[in-house]
Amino acid sequence: MDGTLLRSLTPGVIGILVRRGADFAAAEDAVQDALVEAVRVWPDDPPRDPKGWLVTVAWRRFLDAARADTTRRRREDLVDGEPEPGPVSGVDDTLWLYFLCAHPSLTPSSAVALTLRAVGGLTTRQIARAYLVPEATMAQRISRAKRTVAGARFDRPGDVATVLRVLYLVFNEGYSGDVDLAAEAIRLTRGLAAAVDHPEVSGLLALMLLHHARRTARTDADGALVPLAEQVRGRWDTALIAEGVGILQGALARDRLGEFQAQAAVAALHADAPTAEETDWVQIVEWYDELVRLTDSPVVRLNRAVAVGEADGPRAGLAALAELDDSLPRHTAVAAYLRERDGDLAEAARLYAEAARRATDLAERDHLTRCAARINTRLRG
Amino acid sequence: MAKYLLLKHYRGAPAAVNDVPMDRWTPEEIAAHVRYMDDFAARLEETGEYVDSQALSPEGVFVRYDGEGRPPVTDGPFAETKDLIAGWMVIDVDSHERAVELAGELSAAPGAGGRPIHEWLELRPFLGAAPTVTE
């Protein structure tokens, strides 16, 4: 029994049922029933059109449930007005499900959970484990999300940017136990890229592949963070880098620049450097200028200050940093790094220690504490 | 089996014997400390005495109900003595003696100069239903 096939078909089938008028939760229940039936029947009697088979069975289940419901009459009217299930169209309905799960009325964390459930086909237990919350908590969050979008009707495609943001959130959650959310986000983004022709979808896919390619080099054997400049580049996944760069080039050629393409371009320039010293910082600064123009985000300006520090020296970086609000996350860490490069070790050590106190992530905090310790050791010795 | 909470303090506990802030250690000393903590947790997982542990940020506030509207938030009613909890570990052990033994072991994690920190850890038993069957 091919579990991957079933999982990849699921979102499309749910999408078709919802489009035909089933509400989200009922559609999902019906599809779950159909999947159970498929696992039972298919080994002895494989269907010629697996998706069509699932749609037919799921729709029948939905009708059975709907008939048994107290709102029977209303639903039967609804069903009556619908055309008979005909040949099943391809990606369109899955795409529609992406937009439903990224509905603007959902909070980002609910949108992420619903996307993993409906489009990704993950179980509630798997999602709960990935987010380190009890299964009951995640089940509640998902049903609340389903209730929120229950009445949603779409006459036109939603906003691709919102879907991309949700997928990027999934990617940034990393992995725990049996679910690797980064890999899952890449799978979902590939699905989206196959269904919708938009250079920013390719931009996000390229960005994810380029980040993912460096994952094993990002921590050492003790689990400590390894900064980009110190990573063993031989441990980067060159096949993923090549794929990411290829996808990015295709997107850039279409001349509709967006923030994900620009971010991917920065990642590609890092991936392209054989050693940290050979990084093309001048071009990276240019891409950050584009990003500032596209997003005007303070975080982007902060990253730009780092790049300026590398391209034009730490003094220039500190000058760029001085224009930014020092309450920004990581502002102190960047200041510490630039001070260190400028030779002001005492101030750098003090700032690293302060940045460590402000860090919101344990690995980051340990890394910054080590930086402070490294400099303090040098100052004593 | 009884559960105990081990609390590690930033501030509020009596000073440790080897009381040097971590950013004054050498990177090797930090690595040794982290390894000790990891090994400690791994060993408790093997004996079935480990439940969970988390590090906490030093940022924390006091909140109180004050009638309708948003509850007031302050940095702490007694700022100069404000206790700060750095992290916790929950263990599930046979006896209070075993809990004390493990807390002592954790307090001996290496610090500056590779010598044990001798820090004070707070040990608090969980409240729960008393066992009705004695084996």
Side-chain angles (χ1 to χ4, degrees):
Chain A
M1 185 79 241
D2 186 356
T4 324
L5 173 68
L6 282 183
R7 213 168 102 181
S8 66
L9 291 175
T10 306
V13 179
I14 296 175
I16 289 170
L17 262 63
V18 174
R19 242 249 270 232
R20 283 185 188 165
D23 77 56
F24 199 99
E28 217 197 359
D29 287 345
V31 173
Q32 289 302 325
D33 283 348
L35 291 175
V36 171
E37 189 71 6
V39 171
R40 200 173 62 79
V41 174
W42 288 10
D44 300 325
D45 184 15
R48 244 183 325 197
D49 173 6
K51 190 173 176 186
W53 188 99
L54 283 174
V55 170
T56 308
V57 173
W59 186 242
R60 215 177 284 142
R61 293 289 163 134
F62 164 70
L63 291 186
D64 288 347
R67 285 196 191 96
D69 207 278
T70 46
T71 56
R72 166 184 166 171
R73 185 176 299 274
R74 192 178 61 77
R75 286 176 197 267
E76 280 187 349
D77 286 346
L78 182 75
V79 167
D80 211 31
E82 287 291 325
E84 281 296 297
V88 177
S89 75
V91 289
D92 194 28
D93 299 285
T94 308
L95 179 59
W96 192 76
L97 204 57
Y98 276 93
F99 286 119
L100 185 66
C101 293
H103 196 273
S105 60
L106 293 171
T107 62
S109 65
S110 299
V112 163
L114 195 59
T115 302
L116 288 171
R117 183 82 182 86
V119 190
L122 298 188
T123 64
T124 304
R125 173 189 291 254
Q126 285 174 313
I127 302 169
R129 280 203 186 149
Y131 282 87
L132 303 174
V133 298
E135 194 176 342
T137 306
M138 187 50 80
Q140 273 304 324
R141 197 179 297 174
I142 292 172
S143 9
R144 226 170 28 235
K146 282 184 195 164
R147 274 200 302 277
T148 306
V149 297
R153 281 281 166 267
F154 289 90
D155 349 350
R156 57 198 155 77
D159 182 10
V160 176
T162 318
V163 177
L164 295 181
R165 204 152 295 137
V166 169
L167 292 174
Y168 199 37
L169 283 175
V170 176
F171 181 78
N172 282 322
E173 283 298 332
Y175 72 108
S176 79
D178 58 339
V179 192
D180 179 344
L181 287 181
E184 183 62 19
I186 289 174
R187 190 178 74 83
L188 296 180
T189 309
R190 281 189 199 281
L192 184 65
V196 61
D197 182 29
H198 192 297
E200 272 292 86
V201 179
S202 309
L204 178 62
L205 181 56
L207 178 63
M208 288 177 175
L209 293 172
L210 289 164
H211 278 328
H212 206 54
R214 294 200 291 258
R215 178 151 91 177
T216 50
R218 209 172 287 141
T219 46
D220 67 14
D222 289 335
L225 275 189
V226 183
L228 183 59
E230 289 159 33
Q231 285 173 19
V232 179
R233 292 177 183 231
R235 292 179 67 193
W236 291 357
D237 184 333
T238 45
L240 278 187
I241 290 175
E243 191 193 352
V245 169
I247 291 172
L248 174 65
Q249 279 168 344
L252 290 175
R254 300 179 54 189
D255 211 21
R256 279 166 61 204
L257 189 63
E259 56 174 305
F260 287 121
Q261 293 169 75
Q263 278 193 61
V266 172
L269 285 166
H270 284 304
D272 196 39
T275 64
E277 293 71 34
E278 289 168 84
T279 307
D280 187 347
W281 287 106
V282 174
Q283 245 204 94
I284 289 179
V285 172
E286 284 168 12
W287 279 110
Y288 273 120
D289 289 338
E290 288 286 356
L291 268 172
V292 168
R293 193 177 57 74
L294 288 165
T295 65
D296 196 32
S297 135
V299 176
V300 167
R301 286 177 189 274
L302 190 67
N303 290 333
R304 185 182 167 278
V306 177
V308 168
E310 299 293 343
D312 303 329
R315 291 284 166 86
L318 285 165
L321 193 64
E323 292 168 18
L324 301 172
D325 186 348
D326 62 8
S327 66
L328 269 175
R330 300 212 176 93
H331 187 285
T332 314
V334 171
Y337 174 71
L338 291 170
R339 290 280 175 194
E340 183 187 355
R341 289 206 48 225
D342 195 35
D344 187 353
L345 294 187
E347 180 64 0
R350 192 191 68 74
L351 288 168
Y352 273 129
E354 188 188 327
R357 277 193 295 279
R358 289 193 189 182
T360 52
D361 174 270
L362 194 59
E364 197 176 307
R365 180 161 99 191
D366 287 348
H367 172 69
L368 292 165
T369 306
R370 278 195 186 89
C371 288
R374 175 170 46 77
I375 297 177
N376 279 323
T377 309
R378 257 175 78 190
L379 285 172
R380 278 198 305 268
Chain B
M1 300 293 272
K3 287 197 179 60
Y4 285 85
L5 177 65
L6 283 170
L7 286 178
K8 186 179 164 66
H9 296 256
Y10 281 114
R11 204 160 69 218
V17 172
N18 184 8
D19 193 17
V20 180
M22 214 179 206
D23 60 282
R24 304 276 154 182
W25 304 2
T26 67
E28 296 72 37
E29 285 159 6
I30 295 178
H33 177 78
V34 171
R35 206 170 312 120
Y36 184 95
M37 307 290 272
D38 287 350
D39 290 349
F40 182 80
R43 205 148 33 79
L44 290 195
E45 273 182 55
E46 263 172 41
T47 59
E49 292 170 309
Y50 177 85
V51 179
D52 201 0
S53 67
Q54 291 280 305
L56 295 174
S57 149
E59 310 294 326
V61 294
F62 282 86
V63 179
R64 181 182 72 186
Y65 174 71
D66 245 18
E68 289 300 309
R70 294 169 75 86
V73 175
T74 98
D75 191 35
F78 312 107
E80 63 280 4
T81 58
K82 185 174 156 194
D83 181 17
L84 283 177
I85 295 165
W88 49 265
M89 179 183 277
V90 176
I91 54 175
D92 190 6
V93 292
D94 277 329
S95 64
H96 181 73
E97 288 69 32
R98 175 64 177 158
V100 170
E101 182 185 328
L102 289 175
E105 216 176 295
L106 193 58
S107 164
R115 295 182 305 279
I117 307 176
H118 299 283
E119 67 186 329
W120 289 98
L121 295 170
E122 191 180 346
L123 180 66
R124 302 273 295 271
F126 277 54
L127 287 179
T132 50
V133 180
T134 43
E135 285 169 295

